[in-house]
Amino acid sequence: DVKVTQSSRYLVKRTGEKVFLECVQDMDHENMFWYRQDPGLGLRLIYFSYDVKMKEKGDIPEGYSVSREKKERFSLILESASTNQTSMYLCASSLVGTGISGANVLTFGAGSRLTVL
Amino acid sequence: DAKTTQPNSMESNEEEPVHLPCNHSTISGTDYIHWYRQLPSQGPEYVIHGLTSNVNNRMASLAIAEDRKSSTLILHRATLRDAAVYYCILRDGLNYGQNFVFGPGTRLSVLP
C-alpha cells in the first residue's frame, strides 16, 4: 500500500560528491515536493513541481536542483554535497484538482536521512 | 501565505481526549485548514482537513470556529501511538501550484 517511495532511507556521502535522491509516487499526482527537515527549523520547501518538466523554487533552493521527466518521478540532486546539507529529506505529492485544490491532501514518503562527511 | 500559530508542546494522559489548538487569524475565504502529524522517524501523515464545517474521520475531529480564525484538532481517546508532532496548515483552494507551508507544530506527549 506504499504510495510515495523514496529510494534510500539512509545515505552517507562525502563532501563534493554528487547525490541523487529519488522519489516515485503511484497515485497519478500532478504536484510533487521536496522538503528538508532539521531540528528546530521544521520542514522547509526546497523545490516543487506541478507538472512534468516544470519546477518552482521553494524557500531554500540554493545548492539543489531537481528533475521531473516523468509524472511519477521527482528527483532531488545535490551537485556538490556539503556538510550543511546533512538532513532528513522528505518527498511528497498531491493532486492539483480543479478549483478545490486546497482540499487535496499531501502524501509523504518515509524520508531519506542524508549524512555528508 | 496566511500563517498559523500553535503551542510548542502539549501533554495528555492515555485514553483521555486531547484538544490541539491552532490560530489562523489571517485566514482567507478560500483557505482550507489541514492537519498532519509526524510520528518519530517517519514522514508526516495526513490527519484531517476542513473549510468551514466541523469534520470527523476515523482518526480525529476538526472543530472550526465560526469566524474561521481558529480551529481545534480533537483526538477523542489518546493512545501512546498518538505521540507525535501535529501540524496545522492553511492551503488556498484556488491556487493550484501552492506550497504547503509547515510551521514548527505542536509536540504531543501521551503519558501512560
Side-chain angles (χ1 to χ4, degrees), chain A residues 9 35 37 48 99 101-102 105-106, chain B residues 34 36 38 41 93 97 99-100:
Chain A
R9 194 81 168 90
Y35 291 86
Q37 184 172 32
F48 70 98
S101 61
V105 302
L106 203 56
Chain B
H34 284 240
Y36 291 78
Q38 187 171 20
S41 303
N99 168 31
F100 286 80

Side-chain angles (χ1 to χ4, degrees), chain A residues 9 31 33 35 37 42-43 45 48 50 59 90 94-106 108-111, chain B residues 30 32-34 36 38 41-46 48-49 87 91-104:
Chain A
R9 194 81 168 90
N31 285 343
F33 306 80
Y35 291 86
Q37 184 172 32
L43 281 83
L45 182 69
F48 70 98
Y50 53 87
D59 300 318
L90 291 158
S94 77
L95 285 170
V96 171
T98 53
I100 54 166
S101 61
N104 293 319
V105 302
L106 203 56
F108 280 88
Chain B
T30 54
Y32 282 74
I33 302 159
H34 284 240
Y36 291 78
Q38 187 171 20
S41 303
Q42 295 186 26
E45 63 176 348
Y46 166 76
I48 201 167
H49 76 280
Y87 300 98
R91 184 156 169 81
D92 187 347
L94 299 181
N95 189 334
Y96 288 179
Q98 190 198 36
N99 168 31
F100 286 80
V101 178
F102 285 78

Side-chain angles (χ1 to χ4, degrees), chain B residues 70-93:
Chain B
S70 65
S71 61
T72 302
L73 179 71
I74 303 164
L75 307 179
H76 295 286
R77 287 184 67 199
T79 69
L80 297 177
R81 199 187 170 281
D82 291 323
V85 178
Y86 287 78
Y87 300 98
C88 169
I89 298 155
L90 300 182
R91 184 156 169 81
D92 187 347

